[in-house]
Amino acid sequence: WLSAAAGSAGGAGGGGRFRDAVQRHDGAELRAANEAERLKAAEASRMQYMSGLSGVEAEIAAMQGELRDLLAENRLDEALDVGEALRHTVLSFFGEDHTVYASTMNNLGMVNKQLFNWDQAIEAYSEAVRVYRKAVGPRHANTLVAVENHAHAYKAMAEQRKGIDRNMLLDNARELFEEVLALKREVLGANNVQVGLTMQNLGAVLRALGGERASEATEMIEQGMQMVCDLLPANHVVVGTCLNNYALDLKRTGRFEEAEKAYLRALEIRRERLGKDHVDTLVTMHNLAELLHTQGLEKRAAAIQSEILAVVGYDEDEDGAAAESERIKELIDKSKEQ
């Protein structure tokens, strides 16, 4: 460390800046030390927990930890292998009606969904829902999460299909989202962030189904967005997500001016809270560029696409707009929650 005299050699202003820098450094060191202590305590707690388990229970806990690590590193094929091994071990030790088995199946559903193994994902989520309903009841938080995950899987699967298959999958998603929404309203009350998010999810499915419930879709998405915005701080990351979803629906219904305002606000929040390079920020930029392109505002759209490409990169011989769309798709695939 520099001495106090050396720190003040540049005059009062320089000394003040130096002290500020030292204080910031000290604060960073303190935060790092606190984080290290927290991790050390967590590891000690985990080891103590593991030491109290039977041989099979310890093996299951270790496999669960390995699965979490693989998912965090996006090593999905390896995660699937560990998840299947975990399923067999949990099934033989706890049986098919235990909540640990339900949690394992929920995780398997998530891994398979990210790998686009749709049938396996649907089967896993369905089994998780069955067990949770039986073990803890339909109103339990874990049950509601599993049902909503099941609905998301149907919706994602429908996006890859056409015709009757697509509509059947969307209808399955609709039924599950409606079930979750009704139960959340009972358990959490009508005015709750989680209720608002499910309303947006249900509205998106109704929009995709079209027909006589299309007007209901817009109302559902808008009300869900407003509920979340009223209950959370104005710059909360979830508010940004809801505004992005709302803007997408506004665009689909031809309300372009309102859609642009919603996208710009969502982009402002995501840049502030997530950073300009985050995939969610880039997705909102892409959506805004697409909206401008739809209105024939090519110069503004191209400027935003250039910003995106400056982050994600592309070969000079590629078409800019096509490259931007392809890079965004790749980033979204890699980011898949949540």
Side-chain angles (χ1 to χ4, degrees), residues 82-99:
V82 172
E84 287 291 352
L86 178 60
R87 179 175 70 86
H88 289 296
T89 305
V90 168
L91 188 59
S92 63
F93 187 78
F94 288 106
E96 64 178 12
D97 293 327
H98 197 282
T99 53

Side-chain angles (χ1 to χ4, degrees), residues 13-321:
R17 288 192 295 272
F18 173 75
R19 285 193 295 274
D20 289 344
V22 170
Q23 289 168 358
R24 287 195 298 272
H25 183 85
D26 288 346
E29 282 198 332
L30 179 60
R31 288 192 296 274
N34 289 341
E35 178 65 9
E37 286 298 316
R38 187 190 68 78
L39 293 174
K40 183 178 178 181
E43 179 63 15
S45 177
R46 187 184 72 83
M47 294 303 295
Q48 183 179 5
Y49 168 73
M50 294 282 286
S51 67
L53 298 177
S54 70
V56 177
E57 288 175 315
E59 180 185 356
I60 289 171
M63 292 171 74
Q64 289 172 330
E66 183 181 3
L67 179 59
R68 283 193 298 271
D69 291 342
L70 290 170
L71 286 171
E73 297 169 9
N74 204 36
R75 294 158 62 184
L76 297 178
D77 290 325
E78 295 170 77
L80 182 60
D81 291 338
V82 172
E84 287 291 352
L86 178 60
R87 179 175 70 86
H88 289 296
T89 305
V90 168
L91 188 59
S92 63
F93 187 78
F94 288 106
E96 64 178 12
D97 293 327
H98 197 282
T99 53
V100 175
Y101 179 64
S103 174
T104 301
M105 296 308 294
N106 189 68
N107 289 336
L108 264 179
M110 179 175 63
V111 175
N112 277 297
K113 178 172 176 264
Q114 293 181 30
L115 287 169
F116 307 108
N117 298 332
W118 300 115
D119 291 337
Q120 294 92 325
I122 295 294
E123 182 181 354
Y125 280 134
S126 179
E127 182 68 353
V129 170
R130 179 194 69 80
V131 178
Y132 276 132
R133 281 174 174 162
K134 182 176 182 179
V136 296
R139 296 159 60 92
H140 192 277
N142 289 347
T143 308
L144 296 177
V145 168
V147 174
E148 197 147 21
N149 286 343
H150 196 189
H152 279 296
Y154 274 125
K155 180 176 178 290
M157 189 176 180
E159 291 170 357
Q160 310 299 318
R161 304 293 175 87
K162 296 180 179 180
I164 295 176
D165 284 348
R166 173 181 177 275
N167 287 341
M168 287 178 61
L169 292 166
L170 285 171
D171 211 46
N172 289 338
R174 176 193 58 76
E175 289 180 1
L176 291 172
F177 278 131
E178 286 179 340
E179 175 189 340
V180 171
L181 181 58
L183 287 170
K184 281 186 176 181
R185 281 170 169 162
E186 288 181 18
V187 175
L188 303 173
N191 194 38
N192 183 277
V193 170
Q194 289 299 318
V195 171
L197 293 173
T198 301
M199 289 175 69
Q200 282 215 321
N201 289 329
L202 175 57
V205 171
L206 294 176
R207 169 65 61 203
L209 279 168
E212 59 186 21
R213 300 192 68 179
S215 60
E216 186 181 351
T218 296
E219 182 180 347
M220 188 79 66
I221 292 169
E222 185 169 0
Q223 288 180 357
M225 181 273 301
Q226 194 60 57
M227 186 179 296
V228 171
C229 289
D230 289 344
L231 294 170
L232 291 177
N235 66 337
H236 196 286
V237 66
V238 174
V239 172
T241 298
C242 288
L243 285 166
N244 183 79
N245 295 342
Y246 178 50
L248 184 61
D249 190 68
L250 290 171
K251 177 195 171 189
R252 287 172 175 166
T253 54
R255 297 159 65 183
F256 297 145
E257 185 175 342
E258 294 172 80
E260 182 177 346
K261 290 179 180 178
Y263 274 140
L264 287 171
R265 179 60 186 138
L267 183 56
E268 181 183 3
I269 293 170
R270 287 181 160 180
R271 277 176 170 159
E272 176 188 346
R273 300 303 304 275
L274 302 174
K276 65 182 180 62
D277 296 348
H278 193 279
V279 62
D280 289 348
T281 305
L282 296 174
V283 165
T284 297
M285 292 174 68
H286 170 77
N287 290 343
L288 177 57
E290 288 288 295
L291 173 67
L292 296 171
H293 175 73
T294 299
Q295 299 175 84
L297 302 173
E298 301 297 346
K299 188 174 181 179
R300 289 180 62 196
I304 294 172
Q305 289 170 334
S306 295
E307 286 186 62
I308 296 171
L309 290 172
V311 174
V312 301
Y314 76 110
D315 296 331
E316 291 185 1
D317 58 348
E318 289 184 281
D319 173 73

